[in-house]
Amino acid sequence: MTNLSEPLRIAVLGAGSWGTTLAVLLAKKGYSVALWAHRPEFARQLSSERENRRYLASVSFPDNLRVSESLLDAASSSSLIVTAVPSQALRETAEQLRDIVFEGKIIVNVAKGIELQTGKRMSEVLLETIPGLKPAQVAALYGPSHAEEVSKEQPTTVVASSPSQETARKVQEAFHTSMFRVYTNTDITGVEIAGSVKNIIAIAAGISDGIGYGDNAKAAIITRGLAEISRLCDRLGGDPVTVSGLSGIGDLVVTCLSRHSRNRYVGEEIGRGRSLDDVVSHMNMVAEGVHTSKAVYELSQKLGVEMPITQTVYQMLFEKKPVQQAILDLMTREPKDEVY
């Protein structure tokens, strides 16, 4: 593995708000950073304007951050590769990396989601797609971290997770700053499940807001949503304790409550009566929880894991179940023990 104390070249693949924020953060630490944008014309615009006016206005690019139109050029010349594309586009992006020699490289995924069709976590997609890539070379960087706040250097804490403690610590070293604190965790399964499923719960919290329900309902959604995350995490071999950490409770709370949360916004608009197609078509950025709700619902059915909030969100989004009826059905389920 590359020693991150040596001069480091980093590629950030994906020029949305989060990819741009991380590219700027890393460049400010003195690393040589290449930011790849999917559309060549957008890459040229970023290079010319030296900021991302579409997704992250008023954040200037440091001189050591270059914008690349070539994914292969950016990735092949870098020791650390950050994948910041939407989760449903990760496989397509990773397939373009198949011919790169990955020996000595680390790949850090920051997209939070579960792949449709396969039900796989993002690290599994990378390992399945890139020949010769080893689990010890893969990490996830998750946690409560809205780009809008990180880009303004407001205090933020996240977790770097990899099956390899050494890799997790190298990622920690690369990203850690005085305002961006990074912890480590070797339970990448738990981190990825928690960080992905919380987006579904945030949609449910937004629906509650849109209907006009109060704090009691929001607290119940967050708490019972956490129970669903724990059950799925346990079933897939993750450590349920991870759910009490930054990628679990931390990210769940911020995504359910924050005005920056795209997933909460989608839910709020659904609760107000708008259709999913209408809401999504007018959004500038991706709400990962929409596709993830379908992927996780299908996965829970396959595995026999009880996830009633996830099921309800899926029914409202994809089966057009009336919101009021869906909430009524959820609330009138058979009474159960809190812990089972």
Side-chain angles (χ1 to χ4, degrees), residues 2-3 23 37 57 66 68 81 103 135 172 179 204 215 219 232 250 273 302:
T2 302
N3 187 338
R66 69 181 179 89
S68 176
I81 300 170
E103 184 178 357
Q172 178 186 51
M179 288 290 113
D215 295 338
L232 184 61
K302 177 182 176 182

Side-chain angles (χ1 to χ4, degrees), residues 36-96:
W36 172 77
H38 177 67
R39 291 177 287 111
E41 65 275 14
F42 186 42
R44 290 190 288 270
Q45 179 183 348
L46 294 175
S47 184
S48 172
E49 296 174 349
R50 301 301 296 168
E51 66 175 275
N52 192 336
R53 294 178 183 174
R54 179 175 176 81
Y55 298 117
L56 196 73
S58 302
V59 177
S60 299
F61 292 176
D63 292 340
N64 54 324
L65 191 164
R66 69 181 179 89
V67 181
S68 176
E69 296 180 34
S70 170
L71 182 148
L72 288 177
D73 175 64
S76 61
S77 61
S78 299
S79 300
L80 185 70
I81 300 170
V82 181
T83 52
V85 298
S87 60
Q88 304 308 318
L90 182 62
R91 185 178 294 273
E92 177 186 353
T93 302
E95 285 176 348
Q96 299 179 61

Side-chain angles (χ1 to χ4, degrees), residues 124-328:
E124 293 178 307
V125 172
L126 290 170
L127 289 166
E128 184 176 281
T129 308
I130 301 174
L133 188 66
K134 298 178 176 60
Q137 293 176 272
V138 179
L141 189 72
Y142 280 20
S145 50
H146 287 304
E148 294 85 352
E149 296 183 6
V150 177
S151 64
K152 295 176 182 177
E153 299 186 17
Q154 295 184 2
T156 301
T157 307
V158 298
V159 60
S161 181
S162 171
S164 163
Q165 182 69 54
E166 179 186 3
T167 297
R169 292 202 184 283
K170 287 179 177 179
V171 174
Q172 178 186 51
E173 180 183 344
F175 284 89
H176 194 93
T177 74
S178 60
M179 288 290 113
F180 194 74
R181 183 173 178 82
V182 184
Y183 287 87
T184 64
N185 187 325
T186 57
D187 177 26
I188 194 169
T189 297
V191 165
E192 288 182 310
I193 290 298
S196 299
V197 180
K198 58 89 185 178
N199 284 329
I200 306 170
I201 309 305
I203 292 176
I207 290 172
S208 177
D209 286 339
I211 293 172
Y213 293 157
D215 295 338
N216 293 349
K218 180 77 71 67
I221 289 168
I222 292 173
T223 307
R224 297 312 302 164
L226 194 68
E228 292 190 18
I229 295 171
S230 296
R231 286 197 291 271
L232 184 61
C233 177
D234 181 62
R235 180 66 175 81
L236 291 173
D239 186 349
V241 173
T242 298
V243 179
S244 67
L246 290 163
S247 66
I249 290 177
D251 213 353
L252 178 64
V253 169
V254 78
T255 311
C256 287
L257 301 181
S258 174
R259 68 186 187 279
H260 299 307
S261 171
R262 298 191 290 272
N263 293 285
R264 192 205 61 79
Y265 169 79
V266 167
E268 185 174 16
E269 294 303 302
I270 296 292
R272 289 174 173 170
R274 291 177 65 187
S275 70
L276 176 63
D277 290 342
D278 181 42
V279 176
V280 172
S281 67
H282 287 85
M283 291 181 68
N284 191 34
M285 291 181 277
V286 174
E288 293 280 20
V290 173
H291 289 306
T292 297
S293 65
K294 188 174 190 295
V296 171
Y297 168 71
E298 293 174 349
L299 183 62
S300 69
Q301 295 297 296
K302 177 182 176 182
L303 298 175
V305 178
E306 187 177 17
M307 302 183 71
I309 296 175
T310 297
Q311 179 177 351
T312 300
V313 170
Y314 168 80
Q315 290 172 335
M316 286 187 283
L317 296 185
F318 295 101
E319 295 182 349
K320 295 183 171 55
K321 187 170 185 177
V323 172
Q324 295 287 357
Q325 184 61 51
I327 298 298
L328 179 63

